[in-house]
Amino acid sequence: MADVATDPKIMESIVSLCKRRGFIFPSSDIYGGLASAWDYGPLGSELKNRIQRFWWRDMTQLHDDIVGLDAAIMMHPRVWEASGHIENFDDLLVEDTVTNERFRFDHLTDEQRETMTSPAGNPLSQPRKFNLMFRTHMGPVEESASVVYLRPETAQGIYVNFKNVVQTSRVRIPFGIAQVGKAFRNEIVTKNFIFRTCEFEQMEMQYFVHPSEDEKWFDYWRGERMEYYRRLGIRPDRLRWKEHGPDELAHYAKTAYDIEYLFPFGWSELEGVHNRTDYDLSRHAEYSGKDLTYLDDQKNERFVPYIIETSAGLTRSVLTVLADAYEEERVGENDTRTVLRFHPDLAPVTVGVFPLVKKDGLAERAREIERALREDFSTFYDQGGAIGRRYRRQDEIGTPYCITIDYETKENDTVTLRFRDSMEQVRIPVSEIAPRIRSESRAYRRVGS
Ligand code: ATP
């Protein structure tokens, strides 16, 4: 059995399962695909939406000091001058002079950087700066006055709306603004499936605090964010912190920590928690000429708030959830099954409903039960093939519960409830299905290797 955490073959199996079962397809597949772009299919879009809802609920419903926002992707070009992205949002690009393969300079090893040799052992070109923002023009005339950028992070939409939110909602510092949306970066190297793509989605929350309390809130949000991944059902031993050294800090950051996940290709960033100081609001105040200070009218104090940012990738979270859930499990002596052990709140299908056979009214009764369950859960009805194969098909897409309707159902209105993780089966009355699934989901704990 493969060691799922680090075996690169697992990545291939996940990509192939995603395509085969309709989670994720190469973009423009019928034209041969577009490098680094991916489309989320029926199950993948459901999974992504569920992760987004989980995050949104966690931020805006479970924290009464956080409000939501949905800002435009295209913003006034001055935003990116003020934010420092036009000047600083660069990666250093180097090329293997023999194969022309491109690398990010900061992704090479110390030795490769010192000797200027590529992973293949060839000489590297001199590093040159490469701005990651996508530029386009708004309107029919391609002139410099019409240049706009696709946002490389969602955060700036929050900063430029700081004043609007303070003036229109009842928030008082400390408070946060949460946003989910697309971001675009012209990445030098895109690889590892949906891990690093040019078009991706972020889930960011910017928390505005008094400058004297930045460290306290930074520590608080570090704790909250790690807890969140545990609630999401991610295995704790595959999560760790990595602090940015002084030479790695972004131009706006005072302190920065990444939450890293042990992907099949190794430890890599999943989320950043940053202390952005008063850099962003001060710069936007300077460039827009607008007053972005905050007045604490109880203390009669005016100040520019510091910002603690939690910046998670939504599409990268989809990969994390898939990689974490994926297992090839040995069953008995000589059988294996592929199972996605999703948290029940994330699984694209919550309940599979099957009649044991189609005849003798079992299919009709199963349909009735499935229709009733639809009100509360996402369901899937399947009457084709042997029952064991139907269970396995649901295991492979991560369905946590399956219900089977058989001849006993006709006699006493009970069904078999089968659990994905343990494969255990219990007999329960039809009236108990919904409450039982709800209580099982609430109490769910990740099992497996
Ligand atoms: P890197 O140095 O790896 O390019 P970063 O440190 O610049 O990334 P941040 O700006 O902190 O990344 O972005 C916050 C989060 O957004 C990341 O933790 C990641 O989850 C997500 N993200 C950033 N770039 C990409 C991308 N190209 N594709 C998918 N997700 C991304």
Side-chain angles (χ1 to χ4, degrees):
M1 201 73 15
D3 174 358
V4 176
T6 49
D7 185 344
K9 281 206 209 86
I10 291 300
M11 202 57 203
E12 282 167 37
S13 308
I14 292 171
V15 175
S16 126
L17 185 147
C18 281
K19 174 144 198 211
R20 193 172 67 247
R21 298 306 307 268
F23 281 93
I24 299 167
F25 308 120
S27 160
S28 331
D29 204 7
I30 58 169
Y31 289 97
L34 174 70
S36 129
W38 301 91
D39 296 343
Y40 290 75
L43 297 182
S45 52
E46 197 61 55
L47 176 64
K48 181 154 71 65
N49 286 342
R50 281 166 188 262
I51 297 173
Q52 174 177 338
R53 277 208 295 276
F54 197 98
W55 182 90
W56 189 258
R57 174 180 180 276
D58 207 273
M59 284 294 177
T60 65
Q61 190 173 323
L62 301 185
H63 291 96
D64 62 359
D65 52 355
I66 298 180
V67 293
L69 182 82
D70 187 2
I73 288 173
M74 283 186 276
M75 305 176 71
H76 195 291
R78 290 275 284 167
V79 166
W80 307 110
E81 286 174 41
S83 69
H85 281 80
I86 288 180
E87 199 184 336
N88 293 314
F89 198 54
D90 305 309
D91 278 340
L92 283 178
L93 161 72
V94 283
E95 238 176 277
D96 181 314
T97 52
V98 178
T99 63
N100 295 334
E101 195 179 348
R102 294 184 176 139
F103 301 95
R104 251 174 74 169
F105 193 59
D106 63 326
H107 283 178
L108 297 172
T109 64
D110 288 347
E111 196 192 329
Q112 287 161 346
R113 281 202 294 260
E114 270 156 37
T115 57
M116 288 302 284
T117 38
S118 72
N122 300 319
L124 286 169
S125 65
Q126 278 309 305
R128 65 189 156 90
K129 274 191 175 180
F130 178 79
N131 193 290
L132 298 177
M133 279 200 294
F134 279 99
R135 268 158 58 110
T136 187
H137 292 88
M138 194 170 246
V141 188
E142 288 200 11
E143 58 186 16
S144 58
S146 66
V147 164
V148 287
Y149 300 90
L150 300 186
R151 64 181 178 197
E153 60 177 28
T154 57
Q156 299 300 327
I158 296 182
Y159 307 145
V160 299
N161 277 293
F162 168 73
K163 210 177 170 63
N164 285 338
V165 173
V166 169
Q167 284 173 346
T168 56
S169 15
R170 302 188 60 180
V171 288
R172 309 281 314 149
I173 273 183
F175 75 92
I177 303 179
Q179 174 169 227
V180 182
K182 293 246 179 189
F184 301 82
R185 295 182 189 178
N186 202 356
E187 298 278 1
I188 294 170
V189 182
T190 53
K191 60 178 181 185
N192 291 329
F193 195 30
I194 54 170
F195 176 79
R196 186 182 300 283
T197 47
C198 291
E199 174 180 347
F200 55 99
E201 280 171 82
Q202 291 185 312
M203 305 183 286
E204 295 196 305
M205 194 282 297
Q206 312 292 325
Y207 201 72
F208 299 87
V209 305
H210 190 278
S212 65
E213 297 195 319
D214 62 334
E215 282 168 22
K216 174 181 113 183
W217 286 111
F218 186 74
D219 291 344
Y220 170 82
W221 279 108
R222 276 188 59 197
E224 280 286 291
R225 294 310 298 151
M226 195 53 105
E227 257 318 298
Y228 159 86
Y229 286 107
R230 304 215 167 128
R231 285 197 290 280
L232 198 65
I234 304 297
R235 289 179 252 200
D237 57 339
R238 291 197 192 171
L239 290 165
R240 72 174 188 195
W241 285 106
K242 180 168 169 281
E243 186 177 5
H244 286 211
D247 54 333
E248 293 169 296
L249 280 178
H251 59 273
Y252 50 74
K254 174 175 160 189
T255 2
Y257 280 80
D258 291 339
I259 297 179
E260 293 192 330
Y261 178 76
L262 184 58
F263 289 97
F265 45 85
W267 288 101
S268 302
E269 174 180 341
L270 169 59
E271 163 159 354
V273 181
H274 310 132
N275 181 347
R276 296 182 70 130
T277 69
D278 58 0
Y279 176 86
D280 300 281
L281 289 182
S282 301
R283 292 274 292 196
H284 284 305
E286 184 191 332
Y287 278 68
S288 67
K290 298 286 181 326
D291 178 8
L292 297 183
T293 55
Y294 173 85
L295 174 67
D296 182 335
D297 44 18
Q298 270 150 25
K299 291 196 187 136
N300 205 15
E301 184 190 359
R302 194 174 271 287
F303 59 91
V304 181
Y306 269 39
I307 294 171
I308 308 302
E309 163 179 76
T310 71
S311 175
L314 170 56
T315 42
R316 204 172 277 186
S317 292
V318 173
L319 182 60
T320 308
V321 166
L322 279 165
D324 204 70
Y326 186 89
E327 260 182 65
E328 289 167 16
E329 187 187 35
R330 194 178 290 284
V331 184
E333 277 300 288
N334 43 19
D335 193 12
T336 54
R337 67 167 181 156
T338 300
V339 53
L340 287 174
R341 297 189 195 277
F342 290 140
H343 186 297
D345 290 349
L346 303 185
V349 177
T350 316
V351 204
V353 181
F354 318 141
L356 183 65
V357 291
K358 279 180 257 178
K359 53 186 187 178
D360 301 328
L362 295 190
E364 288 73 18
R365 183 69 184 118
R367 273 283 185 205
E368 266 171 31
I369 291 174
E370 187 262 333
R371 250 181 246 120
L373 288 171
R374 263 190 225 168
E375 290 289 329
D376 298 303
F377 307 102
S378 108
T379 59
F380 186 81
Y381 176 84
D382 186 5
Q383 59 179 25
I387 198 79
R389 299 224 9 224
R390 282 183 258 170
Y391 286 144
R392 292 293 169 85
R393 284 204 291 264
Q394 293 305 310
D395 290 343
E396 206 186 33
I397 63 164
T399 306
Y401 312 108
C402 289
I403 299 289
T404 300
I405 286 83
D406 57 17
Y407 289 102
E408 214 183 313
T409 313
K410 290 177 81 170
E411 284 162 25
N412 59 13
D413 215 32
T414 61
V415 294
T416 302
L417 167 63
R418 186 255 192 191
F419 296 94
R420 172 198 69 202
D421 287 352
S422 60
M423 295 189 279
E424 191 197 332
Q425 303 188 7
V426 293
R427 194 94 207 163
I428 58 166
V430 170
S431 59
E432 295 275 300
I433 301 174
R436 180 73 186 264
I437 287 175
R438 246 179 250 120
S439 69
E440 292 284 344
S441 299
R442 257 199 306 276
Y444 180 78
R445 287 285 169 278
R446 178 77 165 76
V447 297
S449 57

